[in-house]
Amino acid sequence: ISATNSITSGNNANWLFIGPLDHFEWAVIPDQTAGGAFTVAITAKDASSNTTTLDSDGTSFTASESMTFTTTATAAPAGNKPTYAGDDLTDGTTVNVDLSTGSFTTDNIIFYNAVTGQNLTITHSSKTGTSNNFAVDPETASYLKITGFATVTAEQENELTITAYDQYGNIDTNYSSDVDLFFSGLFAAPDGTEPIVEVTEINNDFV
């Protein structure tokens, strides 16, 4: 335990006793965009939530403390896994950080799967700290995908759905661009009846 004091008036002093590491606190992580790198400040706290420079065994933190990062995040539909400093976070990432001042800023963290309720956890000497839950929004759409029935009979309608995806396979729910669609490969029936394509927008899908 360490102690510091501040003089308030005359010989009166207020003493603040700092205990060893009890947990970590993360700065608030705002919502992110898939594929975008971000960093976060993390602070060591004692049982009273005071910032501490003492490890759980009472020794002072050094400039090279081992930390393990884990996450609830999973891979994006295209297979891109969340990373810490380029390392796969889905199976945990262990790095050394400078905690001599009681706090540090992470290396770059990147999430790719556009879902809500994701978070990160840091662990050191059995002491942990978990970030707030945050959402990852899709990146701007990079391609359109058409789905529908493989085969149809004459005069049967075939409903085609066109969906906008970002490069990581997330549906771009904010997609609102105007696009020119050109359909080919359809031929008139023997009696001359021409194929017809009708387009309707429903929740960023085109059917």
Side-chain angles (χ1 to χ4, degrees), residues 150-190:
T151 59
V152 294
T153 57
E155 295 186 346
Q156 179 184 355
E157 291 185 356
N158 187 356
E159 185 176 279
L160 303 177
T161 300
I162 305 173
T163 308
Y165 291 86
D166 69 12
Q167 63 177 311
Y168 309 114
N170 301 303
I171 296 176
D172 183 0
T173 54
N174 298 315
Y175 185 78
S176 61
S177 299
D178 294 328
V179 294
D180 294 323
L181 301 177
F182 177 76
F183 293 88
S184 62
L186 302 177
F187 301 96

mmCIF file of all heavy atoms in Angstrom, residues 150-190:
data_model
loop_
_atom_site.group_PDB
_atom_site.id
_atom_site.type_symbol
_atom_site.label_atom_id
_atom_site.label_comp_id
_atom_site.label_asym_id
_atom_site.label_seq_id
_atom_site.Cartn_x
_atom_site.Cartn_y
_atom_site.Cartn_z
ATOM 1 N N ALA A 150 -33.222 -20.883 -58.736
ATOM 2 C CA ALA A 150 -32.301 -21.328 -59.786
ATOM 3 C C ALA A 150 -33.027 -21.561 -61.104
ATOM 4 O O ALA A 150 -32.532 -21.197 -62.174
ATOM 5 C CB ALA A 150 -31.593 -22.610 -59.349
ATOM 6 N N THR A 151 -34.209 -22.166 -61.055
ATOM 7 C CA THR A 151 -34.967 -22.452 -62.278
ATOM 8 C C THR A 151 -36.435 -22.110 -62.066
ATOM 9 O O THR A 151 -36.950 -22.191 -60.949
ATOM 10 C CB THR A 151 -34.860 -23.939 -62.675
ATOM 11 O OG1 THR A 151 -35.354 -24.749 -61.596
ATOM 12 C CG2 THR A 151 -33.412 -24.318 -62.977
ATOM 13 N N VAL A 152 -37.107 -21.716 -63.115
ATOM 14 C CA VAL A 152 -38.545 -21.441 -63.091
ATOM 15 C C VAL A 152 -39.165 -21.985 -64.364
ATOM 16 O O VAL A 152 -38.481 -22.228 -65.358
ATOM 17 C CB VAL A 152 -38.837 -19.928 -62.984
ATOM 18 C CG1 VAL A 152 -38.377 -19.381 -61.650
ATOM 19 C CG2 VAL A 152 -38.188 -19.178 -64.140
ATOM 20 N N THR A 153 -40.475 -22.166 -64.335
ATOM 21 C CA THR A 153 -41.191 -22.581 -65.543
ATOM 22 C C THR A 153 -41.759 -21.347 -66.222
ATOM 23 O O THR A 153 -41.804 -20.262 -65.656
ATOM 24 C CB THR A 153 -42.333 -23.550 -65.182
ATOM 25 O OG1 THR A 153 -43.218 -22.911 -64.246
ATOM 26 C CG2 THR A 153 -41.780 -24.815 -64.547
ATOM 27 N N ALA A 154 -42.173 -21.525 -67.450
ATOM 28 C CA ALA A 154 -42.713 -20.405 -68.224
ATOM 29 C C ALA A 154 -43.885 -19.758 -67.488
ATOM 30 O O ALA A 154 -44.726 -20.451 -66.897
ATOM 31 C CB ALA A 154 -43.168 -20.894 -69.593
ATOM 32 N N GLU A 155 -43.929 -18.414 -67.482
ATOM 33 C CA GLU A 155 -44.950 -17.582 -66.857
ATOM 34 C C GLU A 155 -44.884 -17.604 -65.322
ATOM 35 O O GLU A 155 -45.734 -17.023 -64.655
ATOM 36 C CB GLU A 155 -46.356 -17.978 -67.324
ATOM 37 C CG GLU A 155 -46.584 -17.733 -68.806
ATOM 38 C CD GLU A 155 -48.022 -17.995 -69.203
ATOM 39 O OE1 GLU A 155 -48.762 -18.608 -68.404
ATOM 40 O OE2 GLU A 155 -48.399 -17.576 -70.310
ATOM 41 N N GLN A 156 -43.885 -18.279 -64.765
ATOM 42 C CA GLN A 156 -43.721 -18.260 -63.316
ATOM 43 C C GLN A 156 -42.830 -17.081 -62.925
ATOM 44 O O GLN A 156 -41.806 -16.813 -63.556
ATOM 45 C CB GLN A 156 -43.076 -19.551 -62.813
ATOM 46 C CG GLN A 156 -42.849 -19.580 -61.294
ATOM 47 C CD GLN A 156 -42.119 -20.839 -60.847
ATOM 48 O OE1 GLN A 156 -41.866 -21.738 -61.640
ATOM 49 N NE2 GLN A 156 -41.774 -20.903 -59.563
ATOM 50 N N GLU A 157 -43.236 -16.347 -61.874
ATOM 51 C CA GLU A 157 -42.411 -15.242 -61.402
ATOM 52 C C GLU A 157 -41.205 -15.763 -60.632
ATOM 53 O O GLU A 157 -41.305 -16.722 -59.887
ATOM 54 C CB GLU A 157 -43.221 -14.315 -60.492
ATOM 55 C CG GLU A 157 -44.308 -13.537 -61.220
ATOM 56 C CD GLU A 157 -44.999 -12.553 -60.294
ATOM 57 O OE1 GLU A 157 -44.674 -12.554 -59.075
ATOM 58 O OE2 GLU A 157 -45.848 -11.779 -60.772
ATOM 59 N N ASN A 158 -40.066 -15.118 -60.838
ATOM 60 C CA ASN A 158 -38.843 -15.443 -60.101
ATOM 61 C C ASN A 158 -38.427 -14.197 -59.347
ATOM 62 O O ASN A 158 -38.002 -13.212 -59.940
ATOM 63 C CB ASN A 158 -37.730 -15.883 -61.057
ATOM 64 C CG ASN A 158 -36.504 -16.389 -60.306
ATOM 65 O OD1 ASN A 158 -36.455 -16.348 -59.079
ATOM 66 N ND2 ASN A 158 -35.513 -16.861 -61.044
ATOM 67 N N GLU A 159 -38.599 -14.215 -58.027
ATOM 68 C CA GLU A 159 -38.272 -13.044 -57.220
ATOM 69 C C GLU A 159 -36.777 -12.996 -56.950
ATOM 70 O O GLU A 159 -36.214 -13.858 -56.285
ATOM 71 C CB GLU A 159 -39.044 -13.066 -55.902
ATOM 72 C CG GLU A 159 -38.849 -11.811 -55.065
ATOM 73 C CD GLU A 159 -39.703 -11.807 -53.818
ATOM 74 O OE1 GLU A 159 -40.902 -11.477 -53.921
ATOM 75 O OE2 GLU A 159 -39.166 -12.158 -52.748
ATOM 76 N N LEU A 160 -36.127 -11.975 -57.482
ATOM 77 C CA LEU A 160 -34.695 -11.786 -57.282
ATOM 78 C C LEU A 160 -34.481 -10.731 -56.195
ATOM 79 O O LEU A 160 -35.101 -9.670 -56.229
ATOM 80 C CB LEU A 160 -34.029 -11.328 -58.577
ATOM 81 C CG LEU A 160 -34.196 -12.234 -59.798
ATOM 82 C CD1 LEU A 160 -33.534 -11.586 -61.013
ATOM 83 C CD2 LEU A 160 -33.616 -13.613 -59.542
ATOM 84 N N THR A 161 -33.611 -11.019 -55.266
ATOM 85 C CA THR A 161 -33.271 -10.057 -54.210
ATOM 86 C C THR A 161 -31.846 -9.569 -54.428
ATOM 87 O O THR A 161 -30.922 -10.373 -54.559
ATOM 88 C CB THR A 161 -33.391 -10.694 -52.815
ATOM 89 O OG1 THR A 161 -34.732 -11.141 -52.617
ATOM 90 C CG2 THR A 161 -33.027 -9.682 -51.722
ATOM 91 N N ILE A 162 -31.681 -8.253 -54.459
ATOM 92 C CA ILE A 162 -30.369 -7.644 -54.650
ATOM 93 C C ILE A 162 -29.994 -6.935 -53.349
ATOM 94 O O ILE A 162 -30.701 -6.027 -52.911
ATOM 95 C CB ILE A 162 -30.382 -6.648 -55.825
ATOM 96 C CG1 ILE A 162 -30.899 -7.343 -57.091
ATOM 97 C CG2 ILE A 162 -28.993 -6.065 -56.044
ATOM 98 C CD1 ILE A 162 -31.106 -6.399 -58.255
ATOM 99 N N THR A 163 -28.897 -7.361 -52.733
ATOM 100 C CA THR A 163 -28.493 -6.849 -51.426
ATOM 101 C C THR A 163 -27.107 -6.230 -51.503
ATOM 102 O O THR A 163 -26.211 -6.776 -52.163
ATOM 103 C CB THR A 163 -28.502 -7.980 -50.377
ATOM 104 O OG1 THR A 163 -29.766 -8.643 -50.407
ATOM 105 C CG2 THR A 163 -28.262 -7.430 -48.974
ATOM 106 N N ALA A 164 -26.920 -5.108 -50.802
ATOM 107 C CA ALA A 164 -25.630 -4.421 -50.779
ATOM 108 C C ALA A 164 -24.778 -4.947 -49.621
ATOM 109 O O ALA A 164 -25.241 -5.024 -48.483
ATOM 110 C CB ALA A 164 -25.839 -2.920 -50.630
ATOM 111 N N TYR A 165 -23.526 -5.300 -49.910
ATOM 112 C CA TYR A 165 -22.593 -5.822 -48.914
ATOM 113 C C TYR A 165 -21.312 -4.998 -48.896
ATOM 114 O O TYR A 165 -20.889 -4.474 -49.938
ATOM 115 C CB TYR A 165 -22.212 -7.273 -49.223
ATOM 116 C CG TYR A 165 -23.324 -8.277 -49.041
ATOM 117 C CD1 TYR A 165 -24.229 -8.530 -50.066
ATOM 118 C CD2 TYR A 165 -23.459 -8.993 -47.850
ATOM 119 C CE1 TYR A 165 -25.244 -9.462 -49.907
ATOM 120 C CE2 TYR A 165 -24.472 -9.924 -47.690
ATOM 121 C CZ TYR A 165 -25.366 -10.154 -48.725
ATOM 122 O OH TYR A 165 -26.370 -11.068 -48.563
ATOM 123 N N ASP A 166 -20.686 -4.900 -47.708
ATOM 124 C CA ASP A 166 -19.355 -4.296 -47.666
ATOM 125 C C ASP A 166 -18.318 -5.376 -47.987
ATOM 126 O O ASP A 166 -18.658 -6.543 -48.205
ATOM 127 C CB ASP A 166 -19.087 -3.606 -46.321
ATOM 128 C CG ASP A 166 -18.950 -4.567 -45.148
ATOM 129 O OD1 ASP A 166 -18.837 -5.790 -45.359
ATOM 130 O OD2 ASP A 166 -18.950 -4.095 -44.002
ATOM 131 N N GLN A 167 -17.053 -5.001 -48.006
ATOM 132 C CA GLN A 167 -16.007 -5.935 -48.424
ATOM 133 C C GLN A 167 -15.810 -7.094 -47.446
ATOM 134 O O GLN A 167 -15.159 -8.094 -47.790
ATOM 135 C CB GLN A 167 -14.686 -5.201 -48.609
ATOM 136 C CG GLN A 167 -14.131 -4.565 -47.345
ATOM 137 C CD GLN A 167 -12.783 -3.919 -47.547
ATOM 138 O OE1 GLN A 167 -11.863 -4.522 -48.111
ATOM 139 N NE2 GLN A 167 -12.658 -2.665 -47.130
ATOM 140 N N TYR A 168 -16.377 -6.980 -46.229
ATOM 141 C CA TYR A 168 -16.228 -8.045 -45.235
ATOM 142 C C TYR A 168 -17.448 -8.964 -45.175
ATOM 143 O O TYR A 168 -17.531 -9.832 -44.318
ATOM 144 C CB TYR A 168 -15.973 -7.433 -43.858
ATOM 145 C CG TYR A 168 -14.850 -6.414 -43.873
ATOM 146 C CD1 TYR A 168 -15.101 -5.061 -43.622
ATOM 147 C CD2 TYR A 168 -13.550 -6.795 -44.188
ATOM 148 C CE1 TYR A 168 -14.083 -4.121 -43.658
ATOM 149 C CE2 TYR A 168 -12.524 -5.860 -44.241
ATOM 150 C CZ TYR A 168 -12.802 -4.524 -43.978
ATOM 151 O OH TYR A 168 -11.790 -3.591 -44.032
ATOM 152 N N GLY A 169 -18.394 -8.747 -46.088
ATOM 153 C CA GLY A 169 -19.576 -9.597 -46.144
ATOM 154 C C GLY A 169 -20.715 -9.145 -45.260
ATOM 155 O O GLY A 169 -21.718 -9.863 -45.118
ATOM 156 N N ASN A 170 -20.604 -7.962 -44.644
ATOM 157 C CA ASN A 170 -21.702 -7.417 -43.844
ATOM 158 C C ASN A 170 -22.708 -6.723 -44.747
ATOM 159 O O ASN A 170 -22.324 -6.041 -45.708
ATOM 160 C CB ASN A 170 -21.167 -6.377 -42.846
ATOM 161 C CG ASN A 170 -20.138 -6.937 -41.893
ATOM 162 O OD1 ASN A 170 -20.403 -7.893 -41.179
ATOM 163 N ND2 ASN A 170 -18.951 -6.345 -41.883
ATOM 164 N N ILE A 171 -23.995 -6.881 -44.460
ATOM 165 C CA ILE A 171 -25.023 -6.157 -45.210
ATOM 166 C C ILE A 171 -24.947 -4.680 -44.845
ATOM 167 O O ILE A 171 -24.954 -4.325 -43.672
ATOM 168 C CB ILE A 171 -26.420 -6.711 -44.911
ATOM 169 C CG1 ILE A 171 -26.541 -8.154 -45.390
ATOM 170 C CG2 ILE A 171 -27.497 -5.847 -45.561
ATOM 171 C CD1 ILE A 171 -27.868 -8.809 -45.047
ATOM 172 N N ASP A 172 -24.846 -3.827 -45.868
ATOM 173 C CA ASP A 172 -24.792 -2.387 -45.634
ATOM 174 C C ASP A 172 -26.213 -1.870 -45.457
ATOM 175 O O ASP A 172 -26.890 -1.524 -46.425
ATOM 176 C CB ASP A 172 -24.091 -1.684 -46.803
ATOM 177 C CG ASP A 172 -23.949 -0.179 -46.562
ATOM 178 O OD1 ASP A 172 -24.389 0.296 -45.504
ATOM 179 O OD2 ASP A 172 -23.407 0.509 -47.446
ATOM 180 N N THR A 173 -26.654 -1.799 -44.208
ATOM 181 C CA THR A 173 -28.028 -1.377 -43.914
ATOM 182 C C THR A 173 -28.247 0.108 -44.162
ATOM 183 O O THR A 173 -29.387 0.580 -44.134
ATOM 184 C CB THR A 173 -28.365 -1.690 -42.434
ATOM 185 O OG1 THR A 173 -27.366 -1.106 -41.592
ATOM 186 C CG2 THR A 173 -28.396 -3.201 -42.208
ATOM 187 N N ASN A 174 -27.169 0.846 -44.397
ATOM 188 C CA ASN A 174 -27.291 2.281 -44.691
ATOM 189 C C ASN A 174 -27.202 2.579 -46.183
ATOM 190 O O ASN A 174 -27.172 3.753 -46.569
ATOM 191 C CB ASN A 174 -26.184 3.056 -43.950
ATOM 192 C CG ASN A 174 -26.294 2.922 -42.447
ATOM 193 O OD1 ASN A 174 -27.367 3.038 -41.880
ATOM 194 N ND2 ASN A 174 -25.173 2.644 -41.789
ATOM 195 N N TYR A 175 -27.161 1.551 -46.983
ATOM 196 C CA TYR A 175 -26.987 1.750 -48.426
ATOM 197 C C TYR A 175 -28.183 2.496 -49.016
ATOM 198 O O TYR A 175 -29.333 2.127 -48.805
ATOM 199 C CB TYR A 175 -26.842 0.397 -49.120
ATOM 200 C CG TYR A 175 -26.531 0.492 -50.603
ATOM 201 C CD1 TYR A 175 -25.247 0.787 -51.034
ATOM 202 C CD2 TYR A 175 -27.534 0.306 -51.546
ATOM 203 C CE1 TYR A 175 -24.958 0.871 -52.384
ATOM 204 C CE2 TYR A 175 -27.245 0.394 -52.893
ATOM 205 C CZ TYR A 175 -25.963 0.680 -53.306
ATOM 206 O OH TYR A 175 -25.685 0.775 -54.644
ATOM 207 N N SER A 176 -27.904 3.562 -49.780
ATOM 208 C CA SER A 176 -28.991 4.350 -50.365
ATOM 209 C C SER A 176 -28.615 4.931 -51.728
ATOM 210 O O SER A 176 -29.228 5.876 -52.186
ATOM 211 C CB SER A 176 -29.381 5.499 -49.411
ATOM 212 O OG SER A 176 -28.276 6.364 -49.207
ATOM 213 N N SER A 177 -27.598 4.385 -52.361
ATOM 214 C CA SER A 177 -27.146 4.923 -53.645
ATOM 215 C C SER A 177 -28.084 4.530 -54.781
ATOM 216 O O SER A 177 -28.764 3.501 -54.735
ATOM 217 C CB SER A 177 -25.729 4.420 -53.957
ATOM 218 O OG SER A 177 -24.809 4.839 -52.987
ATOM 219 N N ASP A 178 -28.120 5.372 -55.799
ATOM 220 C CA ASP A 178 -28.832 5.046 -57.027
ATOM 221 C C ASP A 178 -27.911 4.214 -57.910
ATOM 222 O O ASP A 178 -26.733 4.536 -58.084
ATOM 223 C CB ASP A 178 -29.240 6.318 -57.780
ATOM 224 C CG ASP A 178 -30.275 7.134 -57.015
ATOM 225 O OD1 ASP A 178 -31.088 6.526 -56.300
ATOM 226 O OD2 ASP A 178 -30.254 8.368 -57.138
ATOM 227 N N VAL A 179 -28.436 3.118 -58.433
ATOM 228 C CA VAL A 179 -27.623 2.251 -59.294
ATOM 229 C C VAL A 179 -28.398 1.939 -60.571
ATOM 230 O O VAL A 179 -29.632 1.946 -60.595
ATOM 231 C CB VAL A 179 -27.272 0.923 -58.585
ATOM 232 C CG1 VAL A 179 -26.361 1.169 -57.401
ATOM 233 C CG2 VAL A 179 -28.522 0.176 -58.147
ATOM 234 N N ASP A 180 -27.666 1.709 -61.636
ATOM 235 C CA ASP A 180 -28.256 1.274 -62.899
ATOM 236 C C ASP A 180 -28.096 -0.235 -62.999
ATOM 237 O O ASP A 180 -26.981 -0.760 -62.924
ATOM 238 C CB ASP A 180 -27.560 1.961 -64.080
ATOM 239 C CG ASP A 180 -27.786 3.462 -64.099
ATOM 240 O OD1 ASP A 180 -28.894 3.881 -63.752
ATOM 241 O OD2 ASP A 180 -26.847 4.199 -64.452
ATOM 242 N N LEU A 181 -29.213 -0.929 -63.106
ATOM 243 C CA LEU A 181 -29.196 -2.389 -63.192
ATOM 244 C C LEU A 181 -29.457 -2.820 -64.628
ATOM 245 O O LEU A 181 -30.407 -2.360 -65.267
ATOM 246 C CB LEU A 181 -30.257 -2.989 -62.262
ATOM 247 C CG LEU A 181 -30.129 -2.635 -60.781
ATOM 248 C CD1 LEU A 181 -31.310 -3.240 -60.007
ATOM 249 C CD2 LEU A 181 -28.813 -3.157 -60.219
ATOM 250 N N PHE A 182 -28.613 -3.697 -65.157
ATOM 251 C CA PHE A 182 -28.770 -4.203 -66.520
ATOM 252 C C PHE A 182 -28.904 -5.710 -66.465
ATOM 253 O O PHE A 182 -27.997 -6.411 -66.008
ATOM 254 C CB PHE A 182 -27.566 -3.810 -67.385
ATOM 255 C CG PHE A 182 -27.622 -4.345 -68.781
ATOM 256 C CD1 PHE A 182 -28.465 -3.768 -69.722
ATOM 257 C CD2 PHE A 182 -26.852 -5.438 -69.160
ATOM 258 C CE1 PHE A 182 -28.533 -4.269 -71.013
ATOM 259 C CE2 PHE A 182 -26.922 -5.948 -70.441
ATOM 260 C CZ PHE A 182 -27.759 -5.354 -71.369
ATOM 261 N N PHE A 183 -30.059 -6.226 -66.851
ATOM 262 C CA PHE A 183 -30.309 -7.658 -66.854
ATOM 263 C C PHE A 183 -30.158 -8.200 -68.279
ATOM 264 O O PHE A 183 -30.690 -7.615 -69.238
ATOM 265 C CB PHE A 183 -31.717 -7.967 -66.327
ATOM 266 C CG PHE A 183 -31.905 -7.650 -64.872
ATOM 267 C CD1 PHE A 183 -32.304 -6.381 -64.462
ATOM 268 C CD2 PHE A 183 -31.665 -8.608 -63.902
ATOM 269 C CE1 PHE A 183 -32.473 -6.079 -63.126
ATOM 270 C CE2 PHE A 183 -31.833 -8.318 -62.555
ATOM 271 C CZ PHE A 183 -32.232 -7.062 -62.169
ATOM 272 N N SER A 184 -29.460 -9.307 -68.415
ATOM 273 C CA SER A 184 -29.263 -9.915 -69.735
ATOM 274 C C SER A 184 -29.419 -11.420 -69.627
ATOM 275 O O SER A 184 -29.520 -11.976 -68.529
ATOM 276 C CB SER A 184 -27.873 -9.559 -70.279
ATOM 277 O OG SER A 184 -26.858 -10.086 -69.426
ATOM 278 N N GLY A 185 -29.448 -12.093 -70.777
ATOM 279 C CA GLY A 185 -29.539 -13.549 -70.801
ATOM 280 C C GLY A 185 -30.956 -14.083 -70.909
ATOM 281 O O GLY A 185 -31.154 -15.290 -70.980
ATOM 282 N N LEU A 186 -31.967 -13.178 -70.908
ATOM 283 C CA LEU A 186 -33.363 -13.601 -71.054
ATOM 284 C C LEU A 186 -33.807 -13.397 -72.495
ATOM 285 O O LEU A 186 -33.456 -12.403 -73.133
ATOM 286 C CB LEU A 186 -34.255 -12.786 -70.103
ATOM 287 C CG LEU A 186 -33.908 -12.873 -68.608
ATOM 288 C CD1 LEU A 186 -34.826 -11.962 -67.815
ATOM 289 C CD2 LEU A 186 -34.023 -14.309 -68.120
ATOM 290 N N PHE A 187 -34.574 -14.332 -72.999
ATOM 291 C CA PHE A 187 -35.014 -14.266 -74.393
ATOM 292 C C PHE A 187 -36.534 -14.308 -74.480
ATOM 293 O O PHE A 187 -37.213 -14.788 -73.563
ATOM 294 C CB PHE A 187 -34.430 -15.434 -75.208
ATOM 295 C CG PHE A 187 -32.929 -15.461 -75.220
ATOM 296 C CD1 PHE A 187 -32.226 -16.256 -74.315
ATOM 297 C CD2 PHE A 187 -32.213 -14.694 -76.119
ATOM 298 C CE1 PHE A 187 -30.855 -16.278 -74.305
ATOM 299 C CE2 PHE A 187 -30.826 -14.709 -76.128
ATOM 300 C CZ PHE A 187 -30.145 -15.502 -75.218
ATOM 301 N N ALA A 188 -37.062 -13.803 -75.567
ATOM 302 C CA ALA A 188 -38.509 -13.827 -75.792
ATOM 303 C C ALA A 188 -38.989 -15.260 -76.020
ATOM 304 O O ALA A 188 -38.243 -16.122 -76.496
ATOM 305 C CB ALA A 188 -38.855 -12.949 -76.984
ATOM 306 N N ALA A 189 -40.248 -15.510 -75.646
ATOM 307 C CA ALA A 189 -40.865 -16.815 -75.881
ATOM 308 C C ALA A 189 -41.097 -17.007 -77.385
ATOM 309 O O ALA A 189 -41.065 -16.045 -78.157
ATOM 310 C CB ALA A 189 -42.181 -16.908 -75.119
ATOM 311 N N PRO A 190 -41.343 -18.231 -77.824
ATOM 312 C CA PRO A 190 -41.595 -18.481 -79.251
ATOM 313 C C PRO A 190 -42.728 -17.636 -79.830
ATOM 314 O O PRO A 190 -42.708 -17.296 -81.020
ATOM 315 C CB PRO A 190 -41.931 -19.973 -79.285
ATOM 316 C CG PRO A 190 -41.185 -20.546 -78.116
ATOM 317 C CD PRO A 190 -41.271 -19.489 -77.069
#
